[in-house]
Amino acid sequence: MPVGVAVLDDWGFDFEKAEPIENQRMTVLNATSLDVIAHETFADIKQQYGHAALTFHRVDLHHGLRDLATGPEGEHHSWGQPASLHCGNAVITIDCDRGTLELASGEVMKKDLLIIADGAHSDLYSQFTGEPDPIKRIGKSLYRILLNHAEVLSNPNTAHLLTSYPTAHKGFFSALDPVDGAYTITYPCRSQSPVLNVAIVHNTKPSPEASSNERAEKSWQSPASIAEVLGTIHNYHPDFKALISLGKDDDDIKIHHAMRRPPLKSFASGRALVIGDAAHLMMPTHAAGASMAIESAGVLEVLMRDVTADSPAEVIQERLKIFDRLRVPRCTAFQILSNEGWMSQAQPEVVAQIREQGFHGWLPGPDAGPWSAEFRKWYFNHDARAEAKQALRILKDEE
Ligand SMILES: Cc1cc2nc3c(=O)[nH]c(=O)nc-3n(C[C@H](O)[C@H](O)[C@H](O)COP(=O)(O)OP(=O)(O)OC[C@H]3O[C@@H](n4cnc5c(N)ncnc54)[C@H](O)[C@@H]3O)c2cc1C
């Protein structure tokens, strides 16, 4: 989304290499009749908010970020030594107060700052909070499938799904089953040889292992087949089923089980900071999880830019306090709204929860849909790095 893209742009991210596609519309169809339920275009996002909304293939985004972290100083940044990666060597324990971590290899390290970014299924979360991890399945699961975009376009039963509805712009194209709510989200990524990313949110099917076995209940991913997916979308229009049938069992289709944690009151503890899904796990309702993570990384970079190995520990503590003050309200507001669902800002108890988390700014009105102009303004009209620079200026003026 533009707020995350702005940070990548500041960092000199190689967009050409990552080949994202500009996201300019959201169309929701009735999955059975294929009637249009909702349609929004937003081709002017770049003009309005300075950066486009982009869809990436996850691996391309990862590669671009890795290149930035490990590459030499770039034209746009001068953040010191390239990072060194320890792939396949998980962090198994952390001590937030002492700033130590232990890798699976047995190596122990002591650092000025630990950044915990181990995602939704964080093993380090409970070491960070000092409490048992409250993560819970929410009864929803997602199938994730990648389709060859060219194949969809060349198939007479499926091509019209991409070409016959309001199609002047590329972007999200979704279908909602009016009977049992199975909801499909599709979007293209990779501009040179596009793939169609498909996620199908549905009610989790009971499994004997899950009810009898605590480990299975906590498992977040299991294998699936195209036949199973077709069974789940049995109310869908035959042409949508034809679209899913273009997927292949060999593509290693996975069911991702959605989980929830309550919002954290603080992202900092001792010498540690938690960031991304580990800090604010949310449903993909507003496509905001990665954007919030990238925004937070952008804020952290601003706040830590002048901190060196010789800086006293108090300086890091001061900066973490600012990070918390700026990021907890915004990230947890998105977490609450995304977990409670579309237009949940209309529910007073949801608004009360957001206010309790310290977010006191304006919220979209009760009728603002997730991609409506009002919601876009709330989401995109925010310059997190400018806010961090301002907070740092005030801190330095006070010193
Ligand atoms: C179906 C779906 C669609 C989505 N669509 C969007 C979207 O359109 N826009 C958006 O902004 N967000 C979207 N999201 C959310 C987005 O994917 C996440 O918010 C984002 O990936 C979070 O990034 P992260 O780095 O915090 O965690 P992850 O991407 O999960 O990365 C965590 C990393 O930590 C590593 N790790 C785990 N444990 C350890 C350990 N002990 N030691 C070392 N490393 C460890 C993992 O291997 C992994 O590489 C979507 C999510 C889903 C499920």
Side-chain angles (χ1 to χ4, degrees), residues 28 62 119 141 152 169 218 278 330 348 359 363 371 388:
V28 184
H62 283 179
S141 296
V152 178
H169 311 288
K218 285 193 175 155
R330 178 161 163 89
F359 185 89
L363 283 166
W371 286 93

Side-chain angles (χ1 to χ4, degrees), residues 43-117:
D44 56 352
I45 281 190
K46 195 169 175 181
Q47 287 76 14
Q48 271 188 299
Y49 299 106
H51 290 86
L54 301 176
T55 54
F56 291 86
H57 193 311
R58 184 177 289 257
V59 72
D60 301 331
L61 180 60
H62 283 179
H63 285 167
L65 288 169
R66 185 198 56 197
D67 290 350
L68 278 177
T70 57
E73 285 191 4
E75 189 188 330
H76 302 280
H77 63 82
S78 53
W79 47 43
Q81 307 240 336
S84 57
L85 304 181
H86 301 255
C87 293
N89 196 2
V91 177
I92 48 170
T93 54
I94 50 169
D95 184 323
C96 297
D97 291 329
R98 294 176 55 224
T100 54
L101 60 87
E102 185 186 358
L103 297 176
S105 62
E107 192 180 349
V108 175
M109 299 177 179
K110 183 161 170 43
K111 299 287 174 187
D112 298 314
L113 174 64
L114 305 181
I115 301 170
I116 304 166

Side-chain angles (χ1 to χ4, degrees), residues 139-150:
K140 296 277 178 199
S141 296
L142 297 93
Y143 298 112
R144 305 194 70 180
I145 308 165
L146 278 178
L147 300 176
N148 181 320
H149 201 266

Side-chain angles (χ1 to χ4, degrees), residues 1 23 54-56 58 61-62 65 86 88-93 102-104 116-124 127 142-144 172 185 187 197-201 220 256 258 275-294 371 379:
M1 295 302 131
N23 177 18
L54 301 176
T55 54
F56 291 86
R58 184 177 289 257
L61 180 60
H62 283 179
L65 288 169
H86 301 255
N89 196 2
V91 177
I92 48 170
T93 54
E102 185 186 358
L103 297 176
I116 304 166
D118 57 343
H121 315 289
S122 174
D123 284 329
L124 303 175
Q127 296 183 46
L142 297 93
Y143 298 112
R144 305 194 70 180
F172 289 102
I185 308 152
Y187 57 84
N197 194 326
V198 178
I200 304 174
V201 184
W220 55 275
H256 170 102
I275 197 167
D277 275 8
H280 41 71
L281 175 55
M282 64 183 88
M283 288 289 282
T285 318
H286 299 108
S291 294
M292 287 304 108
I294 294 170
W371 286 93
Y379 190 168

